[in-house]
Amino acid sequence: MPSLLLPSAASDTNQIVVLISVLAGAMVFMEYTSRAPSIVEFRFAAPFNRMKFGFGAVALLACCLIMRGAETPGSWSVLLTQLSGGMAAALDFPYSPVRLLLSVLPANLSEGDTQIIRLLAALCYGLSMVMVFVFLALVRIWGWPVRRGAFNVWLNLPLFDPTGGGDVVVRLHRDSALNLSLGFLLPFLLPALFVVLVNFFDRSALLSPQTVIWIIVIWAFVPAGMIMRGLALHRVAELITAKRRRAYAKAEDAFQTV
């Protein structure tokens, strides 16, 4: 999307990106049409993956329109810039992830570029927070993932080995806590990784419009996706615990009847 919408993108880059996108789409299509699971988690537990893709795509499109509006303003770019300005006013405070991301930018960066990055960071981080809260509401209020039917652990967690040792519920709670911890910490740790990358790669390439958009979207949505995964694993552990209690109660009733 950045290669197709931004006017500064080269034609050769557009062709390469379109080819990669077609290959990625084919892989996702084959994954979802196959009966046996492979690597995609929660494949049959909508809307987990749909939310991550949808919110990420909306954030990416909004960032492209804002970045494009800096050169050729339009109605959508102006509207999104104003919306991002409101989010920046709310999220850009001392020790916040947005402020930390801005603190690692090069000192010689122009004021206009810094302001655009501030708007993009606030917009993406705000959308990622909305995504997490919407998913939390789906879990706690609408009973995801068992509202529409039974939940199959093997189909939805193909990379999780239930025979790997230890109690399944304990392992799920441990993985959930790990994902939640990393999800909350990564927005503060990833800017430090950007400082390291600046020393190994060309600074002008890292600060190009396409790269900036992808870095900000990844910075905001990878941690949010890990928080969602932590919430989902915790929910699966609760379902397994509830099923065990029902099985134990049924066995106890059968024993007392005998």
Side-chain angles (χ1 to χ4, degrees):
M1 193 180 297
S3 299
L4 297 177
L5 293 180
L6 296 180
S8 59
S11 59
D12 295 339
T13 304
N14 296 343
Q15 297 175 4
I16 296 174
V17 170
V18 169
L19 177 60
I20 295 176
S21 301
V22 171
L23 294 177
M27 291 179 61
V28 174
F29 177 79
M30 290 186 292
E31 170 71 22
Y32 272 84
T33 53
S34 63
R35 294 184 178 180
S38 59
I39 58 174
V40 178
E41 293 184 331
F42 301 104
R43 198 177 74 179
F44 300 99
F48 182 84
N49 293 322
R50 299 175 187 177
M51 285 183 57
K52 291 197 295 183
F53 179 82
F55 274 90
V58 169
L60 198 63
L61 176 61
C63 290
C64 293
L65 293 177
I66 293 174
M67 188 75 76
R68 185 176 182 177
E71 299 181 8
T72 56
S75 57
W76 279 104
S77 62
V78 173
L79 177 62
L80 291 172
T81 301
Q82 294 177 352
L83 177 63
S84 302
M87 289 186 175
L91 298 176
D92 185 10
F93 54 88
Y95 307 107
S96 69
V98 176
R99 179 69 60 85
L100 183 61
L101 180 64
L102 296 176
S103 66
V104 302
L105 295 178
N108 58 352
L109 198 64
S110 65
E111 182 66 24
D113 293 338
T114 303
Q115 183 63 21
I116 290 179
I117 293 177
R118 176 175 177 265
L119 296 177
L120 300 185
L123 177 64
C124 290
Y125 194 74
L127 287 176
S128 68
M129 293 175 61
V130 172
M131 179 181 70
V132 171
F133 283 115
V134 170
F135 180 70
L136 182 61
L138 288 176
V139 172
R140 293 303 175 189
I141 299 178
W142 285 279
W144 181 93
V146 295
R147 185 177 179 86
R148 295 184 178 181
F151 179 82
N152 191 306
V153 177
W154 179 72
L155 290 177
N156 291 285
L157 294 173
L159 301 180
F160 181 78
D161 184 11
T163 62
D167 185 70
V168 175
V169 175
V170 174
R171 292 172 56 200
L172 286 173
H173 280 300
R174 181 188 61 200
D175 293 347
S176 172
L178 178 62
N179 279 270
L180 290 173
S181 301
L182 289 176
F184 284 110
L185 291 177
L186 279 180
F188 300 94
L189 298 178
L190 288 179
L193 179 61
F194 174 77
V195 175
V196 176
L197 292 176
V198 169
N199 298 325
F200 290 95
F201 296 94
D202 185 12
R203 178 173 296 185
S204 61
L206 289 176
L207 294 178
S208 65
Q210 299 178 58
T211 309
V212 166
I213 289 176
W214 279 112
I215 289 177
I216 293 177
V217 170
I218 292 173
W219 163 79
F221 281 91
V222 168
M226 298 187 72
I227 294 176
M228 288 179 58
R229 187 176 187 271
L231 295 173
L233 292 178
H234 181 75
R235 173 62 173 164
V236 173
E238 289 181 343
L239 294 176
I240 295 176
T241 302
K243 186 174 182 179
R244 285 179 177 178
R245 289 175 180 173
R246 291 194 298 268
Y248 294 156
K250 185 177 181 180
E252 184 177 356
D253 291 342
F255 178 77
Q256 292 178 356
T257 302
V258 174

